[in-house]
Structures are given as C-alpha cells and as structure tokens.
C-alpha cells in the first residue's frame, strides 16, 4: 500500500508520462492533476518531478495495486480500474480528432495514423506487453508464406470472473463492441472498458463511418472501420464503394470485409464493419495463375490469384470500372451453382458469399474477392468448406478474413497442449492408447495427432526435435485448413470448375 506522499508522486509521474507520450497539453495539466487528486482522495499534489520510471511496472501497476490493497477495487477489476485512470490522462476525443486532422493536413495521412497508433499503444488501449506474449512464426507453404500466431494476448477469464460476469445486469448498452457509443464507456466484467478508445470520423461513400485500431493487433496496425449506424454486416456493391474510398483516404493501408454469413464470416456480424491495416498479409504478395479479359472492362485486369483459396483478383487504375467489375463478380457468385464440386448457392438460405479485400499499389486499385460458401451437410456439420473435424484440435473456430489471407490466429490453449504433445515424442509422458482414448483425458482432442506423430517419429526424440515435429504438424494443418476453405480446390477438377465460373458465370475469355 502506498503512503499518501508516494501516491502523490505516482500521480505526478503519470502526468509527466502523459505530457511526453499522450499529447496532454500544458493548458490541461492542472485540470487533469486536480481530477486525479480528487479521484484518489488527496487534497494537494507532490512537488513537481522531472523524470519517471517504467510506465507499466513503476507507475500504473502501483496505482492499481494500491487500490486493491485499500479495498477500493477487487483484483478482477484491475483492468477496468487501470483503463479509467488512463482515460483521465488521454486527450478528449475532440482533441484527438483535431490533432489527427492537423497532422494529416500538414504532414500527410500516414504521419497522422502513425501518431494515432502510437497514442493507442501509449495509453494501453493496445496492450503491447500482453501482445508481445503471443507466440509467432512463419511457414513457407506451397503457395507462399503463412503466418501463425498462438494468441496469448486475450486473457481467458477464470471461473470466479465468469461467475461474477453472470451477475452483471444486461443493459444492451453499448449495443455491441463496435458501436460508436463505446468511446468512454466505463465497462464491466461482461464488456471491456473503453475510456482510452479514440476513433476518427471518416466519410465512405457519403456515409458517416469511424476508424479505430483493434486492441488485439493480430498484425501490424490492425485497424477497423465501422459504420456509425448499428446495422448488420452486409457485403453489397456499396461495400466496394466504401472500401475503394477508404484506400483513397489511407493508401498505405488495405481494407477488407468478412463475408456476411455465419461460418465463413467474422465474429461480429451484428455491426457493419471492415478490417485493415498495413499491407503485410501473405496473400497480398502472391502472383496470379490465370488471366482473363472482358470487352466490358477493358481497363481492368482480371486474374485468378495463385493462392490456397479461390480468389478472383481485379487490378485497375479506373475506380469506376473496377467497382462495376467487382459488383458483377458478387452478383454472379451469389447465383452460381456447380454441384460437381459441391457448390450450391442457395437452399432455404443463401450460401455463397464473398470476402473482399481492397488495396492500392502505386496508382492501381487491387480488389481480391475470395469466394466463400457456408453450406453444411450430414458429413460436414461444421461446413463443407470449413476445416475438417480432424483439424479441429488446431483450429475449430470460423475462418474469417485474417486466416483466409494467410495469417492464423490459433487459440492460446495450444501453448500448453502442444508442449504436452512434445512430451509423448520425448518419452517424458508414456504413450498409452487406452489413456488417450478416454474422453476425460485433457489430451483426448489431440489423440489422433499424437498417435500419428508417435507412429512416424517414435518416443525417443530430443526436446528440440520434438518441438520441430509438432511445429511442422501445425504448419501442415494450417495449410490444410486453407485448402478446406477453397470452394474450387487446387486440383485439376477444382481448377476446371473455377475456369468454368470465370468463363460462363462472368462471361470472360481466358487471355
């Protein structure tokens, strides 16, 4: 527990940090100081200071721990409390917007996003210490690099937190995690605090939208554009207008949309939004395997991208033509059925959908249209073009825009579980088929993987060798997952079906 004098010093250190890193204006310092003094029940500040220690461990953590020690908050409320404190020293939304616009006007939009991104890290809206815990590596696959991340930055709630969360009243406010009403929201055990969230208003196709950064940062400068209106996700011709407008505003970013259907869509289908960021995802760097042309779109290059998924790629300097070409692909795919490869566009529900991704390369627009289908049947209850059940021990969740572009976000449970698999390969854990076949065994979900790896490699491997064997297995599983999502498989039959869609569905001729 801090003494009052120590607490005053920590407040001064926080103010100095905010002045240096959060663009806290000198004119606002007394106001923020007095707000913090009142918040912590103090009647006067400490003497001014000139330096401070580590932001997290020497300023923020002691303030939070002091509040736990004094009984002001419970340990499970620490992140909510921390966010409240840091929201007090983060400039008001209007000040952030004004600063962003000023930087964009005088130094360019990239400098403005650099500043906003740095602010979001500096005030812990993007919790970099947690994100740095993620385990990351790359795999050179048959169609290019694949990025793989075991996500440890999104902490799992313990049973006590889950029990407390159930007791929280359901208010329906904010309506979802992406509504603009999240800015400044105090949060609770069911909804994260957002006092440190700052968003930038933008115009997309004459609509009011907002730009923010994802707090989880699955890739570099992972950003989100979301509608001011709480409405369901929808990929329609207007979506292409908005995405093209976005890359005009921010040409150093890409922007794309999840498909608007379950299984092949994102985790939030209730609010119209897009995801983007720096142009670093693997699919963007691959070439093309086939070229087509149309007299209707003489200024648009039309290709099949050389990738695991089924991707129609459009390239043009002409914004209007590429918009119309993308709209035609969307309409054609929405009504395309080819039962020879399992593609049925509609039953009682719509099944065909598109994941669009837009970027600019120099003066050219590039639109990648990933063809998706969410149909299920008795043999594939999770989806015909979803990871097969034999791969669910690695990834069972929906395969959305990030994964289909070649960056896998694997569940945090795998850090421990893959380590346990390695023990079977070194002999540290006895290989026993009867034990593995028991559904109560924690490693039951990995039983087939363990059996295969032990049969192929034995149980006398060195720890380093065992780790490589397991990593190679995960790499292969991720490639297979991508192949599962391809509506036109990378086989002679599948590519012939893809060619048929391009020629008959879109009326193109092969170049």
């Amino acid at each position: 527990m801090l003494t009052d004098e120590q607490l005053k010093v920590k407040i001064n250190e926080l103010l100095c940090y905010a002045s240096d890193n959060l663009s806290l204006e000198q004119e606002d310092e007394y106001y923020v100081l007095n707000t913090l003094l009142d918040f912590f029940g103090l009647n006067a500040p400490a003497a001014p200071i000139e330096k401070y220690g580590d932001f997290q461990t020497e300023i923020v953590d002691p303030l939070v721990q002091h509040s736990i020690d004094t009984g002001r908050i419970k340990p499970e409320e620490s992140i909510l409390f921390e966010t409240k404190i840091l929201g007090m020293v983060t400039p008001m939304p209007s000040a952030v917007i004004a600063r962003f616009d000023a930087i964009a006007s005088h130094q360019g939009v990239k400098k403005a996003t650099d500043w906003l991104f740095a602010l979001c890290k500096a005030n812990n809206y993007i919790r970099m210490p947690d994100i740095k815990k993620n385990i990351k590596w790359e795999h050179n696959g048959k169609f290019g690099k694949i990025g793989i991340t075991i996500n440890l930055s999104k902490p799992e709630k313990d049973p006590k937190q889950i029990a407390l969360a159930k007791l929280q009243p359901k208010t329906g406010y904010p309506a979802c995690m992406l509504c603009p009403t999240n800015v400044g929201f105090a949060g609770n055990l069911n909804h994260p605090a957002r006092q440190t969230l700052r968003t930038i208003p933008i115009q997309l196709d004459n609509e009011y939208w907002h730009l923010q950064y994802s707090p989880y940062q699955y890739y570099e400068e992972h950003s989100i554009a979301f509608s001011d209106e709480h409405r369901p996700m929808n990929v329609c011709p207007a979506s292409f207008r908005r995405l093209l407008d976005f890359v005009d505003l921010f040409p150093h970013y890409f922007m794309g949309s999840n498909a608007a259907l379950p299984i092949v869509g994102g985790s939030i289908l209730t609010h119209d939004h897009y995801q983007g960021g720096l142009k670093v995802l693997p699919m963007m760097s691959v070439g093309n395997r086939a070229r087509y042309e149309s007299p209707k779109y003489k200024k648009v290059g039309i290709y099949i991208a050389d990738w695991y998924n089924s991707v129609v790629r459009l390239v043009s300097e002409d914004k209007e033509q590429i918009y119309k070409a993308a709209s035609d692909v969307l309409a054609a795919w929405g009504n395309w059925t080819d039962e020879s490869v399992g593609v049925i566009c509609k039953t009682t529900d719509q099944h065909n959908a598109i994941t669009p991704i837009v970027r600019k390369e120099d003066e050219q627009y590039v639109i990648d249209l990933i063809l998706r289908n969410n149909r299920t049947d008795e043999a594939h209850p999770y989806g015909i073009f979803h990871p097969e059940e034999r791969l669910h021990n690695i990834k069972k969740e929906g395969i959305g825009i990030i994964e289909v572009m070649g960056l896998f976000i694997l569940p945090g449970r795998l850090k421990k579980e893959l380590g346990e698999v390695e023990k079977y390969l070194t002999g540290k854990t006895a290989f026993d088929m009867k034990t593995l076949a028991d559904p109560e065994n924690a490693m039951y979900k990995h039983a087939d993987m363990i059996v295969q790896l032990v049969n192929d490699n034995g149980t006398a491997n060195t720890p380093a060798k065992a780790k490589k064997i397991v990593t190679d297995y995960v790499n292969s599983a991720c490639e297979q997952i991508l192949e599962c999502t391809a509506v036109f498989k990378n086989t002679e039959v599948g590519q012939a079906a893809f060619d048929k869609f391009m020629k008959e569905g879109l009326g193109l001729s092969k170049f």
Side-chain angles (χ1 to χ4, degrees), residues 43-254:
N43 55 18
I49 62 170
E50 296 181 356
K51 60 181 181 179
Y52 50 86
D54 180 75
F55 168 61
Q56 190 68 46
T57 61
E58 297 183 50
I59 302 176
V60 176
D61 289 348
L63 288 172
V64 173
Q65 189 60 49
H66 171 80
S67 299
I68 294 172
D69 293 342
T70 57
R72 181 171 185 171
I73 63 170
K74 298 173 182 177
E76 57 269 19
E77 297 170 327
S78 60
I79 297 297
L80 294 173
F81 188 78
E82 174 189 307
T83 307
K84 183 187 289 286
I85 296 169
L86 296 180
M88 294 178 188
V89 296
T90 300
M92 290 289 287
S94 59
V96 170
I97 293 167
R99 180 71 176 268
F100 182 94
D101 288 345
I103 295 172
S105 295
H106 294 95
Q107 301 178 53
V109 70
K110 186 179 185 305
K111 288 289 186 182
T113 56
D114 288 346
W115 172 79
L116 181 65
F117 186 59
L119 174 74
C120 292
K121 291 187 291 183
N123 74 355
N124 267 8
Y125 170 70
I126 299 172
R127 299 182 61 83
M128 291 307 297
D130 291 339
I131 291 169
K132 288 176 181 177
K133 296 175 185 176
N134 291 341
I135 300 169
K136 298 181 178 181
W137 71 91
E138 287 186 338
H139 166 59
N140 289 317
K142 68 182 75 171
F143 294 111
K145 285 186 178 179
I146 293 175
I148 299 171
T149 297
I150 295 178
N151 181 26
L152 303 175
S153 62
K154 195 173 182 179
E156 296 181 16
K157 292 183 178 180
D158 62 34
K160 187 176 181 180
Q161 287 177 304
I162 293 170
L164 289 170
K166 288 181 179 179
L167 301 176
Q168 296 291 314
K170 308 291 185 188
T171 66
Y173 177 85
C176 76
M177 295 288 185
L178 290 176
C179 281
T181 49
N182 277 280
V183 177
F185 185 64
N188 53 55
L189 295 176
N190 279 320
H191 193 112
R194 288 292 184 253
Q195 291 102 325
T196 52
L197 170 62
R198 298 294 181 265
T199 67
I200 303 298
I202 55 177
Q203 288 281 323
L204 301 179
D205 192 29
N206 297 313
E207 284 189 350
Y208 194 42
W209 282 61
H210 305 263
L211 172 69
Q212 72 171 66
Y213 287 103
S214 166
Y216 304 116
Q217 288 300 297
Y218 293 138
Y219 51 87
E220 293 177 54
E221 299 188 34
H222 181 184
S223 52
I224 300 169
F226 61 99
S227 172
D228 189 62
E229 177 186 352
H230 181 68
R231 67 191 188 205
M233 279 193 65
N234 182 29
V235 176
C236 60
S239 305
F240 303 136
R241 290 275 193 203
R242 299 183 202 116
L243 293 171
L244 289 164
D245 282 355
F246 183 91
V247 298
D248 279 341
L249 289 172
F250 304 98
H252 57 298
Y253 283 167
F254 79 91

Side-chain angles (χ1 to χ4, degrees), residues 391-408:
L391 298 166
H392 286 186
N393 64 313
I394 302 300
K395 180 79 174 181
K396 182 179 180 180
E397 300 83 0
I399 307 301
I401 184 173
I402 299 174
E403 276 91 2
V404 291
M405 296 181 74
L407 176 58
F408 278 83

Side-chain angles (χ1 to χ4, degrees), residues 397-451:
E397 300 83 0
I399 307 301
I401 184 173
I402 299 174
E403 276 91 2
V404 291
M405 296 181 74
L407 176 58
F408 278 83
I409 312 299
L410 302 180
R413 63 176 172 81
L414 286 178
K415 178 184 178 183
K416 180 179 179 181
E417 292 172 3
L418 295 180
E420 293 299 315
V421 173
E422 292 169 17
K423 292 178 182 178
Y424 287 92
L425 295 168
T426 61
K428 189 172 182 180
T429 297
F431 177 68
D432 180 70
M433 285 289 295
K434 184 177 180 182
T435 303
L436 275 176
D438 181 0
E440 297 300 315
N441 187 328
M443 296 302 290
Y444 173 75
K445 69 171 75 70
H446 296 293
D448 290 344
M449 171 186 179
I450 293 168
V451 170

